[in-house]
Amino acid sequence: MQFSTTIVLAALAAAALACTGCPHPGNFTGFVSKFAPNPNYCSTPVSDVSFSISVPATYYDPPDESPCDAPVNVTNICTGKVITAMVVGKCTTCAANDIQLTAAAISALGSPKIVEWTFD
């Protein structure tokens, strides 16, 4: 039963609507790690309880389409739990669609290793 529940939740997460009018449309799946958001690339004030995200540097190209302060929906694909985090960081060490989240955001998601995310 646990396996079928996980598959259903993963399917629901995958079916979530992605932003179609933003510069980076689509759903992305990647590993998640923790980061300390102060100071940050976007110069956005962030508290210890903020849900903040650092996205790969490739999402800042071209520069006029910077995702700074953009809302991002992040889904724990194992539980279906979703949070919305604000882009404040540019992750120069993240591969492809891997992201970094603040400790508060990771905790709220249930400490997943892999997430699905999309610009809101």
Side-chain angles (χ1 to χ4, degrees):
M1 185 65 177
Q2 176 68 21
F3 180 71
S4 62
T5 302
T6 301
I7 289 176
V8 169
L9 289 174
L12 288 172
L17 295 176
C19 172
T20 55
C22 60
H24 305 286
N27 292 320
F28 311 101
T29 302
F31 289 98
V32 63
S33 59
K34 186 173 89 171
F35 85 113
N38 290 310
N40 61 65
Y41 182 82
C42 299
S43 300
T44 303
V46 178
S47 74
D48 291 339
V49 296
S50 296
F51 292 174
S52 301
I53 183 172
S54 179
V55 298
T58 55
Y59 289 90
Y60 286 84
D61 190 32
D64 64 333
E65 295 177 357
S66 168
C68 281
D69 301 325
V72 174
N73 292 323
V74 183
T75 305
N76 178 333
I77 59 175
C78 292
T79 66
K81 187 163 201 145
V82 180
I83 64 158
T84 300
M86 184 187 330
V87 176
V88 299
K90 179 179 182 178
C91 183
T92 58
T93 59
C94 289
N97 295 319
D98 295 349
I99 60 171
Q100 295 178 319
L101 292 170
T102 54
I106 290 173
S107 178
L109 283 169
S111 302
K113 300 290 183 215
I114 299 175
V115 295
E116 181 173 271
W117 59 280
T118 184
F119 290 96
D120 187 11

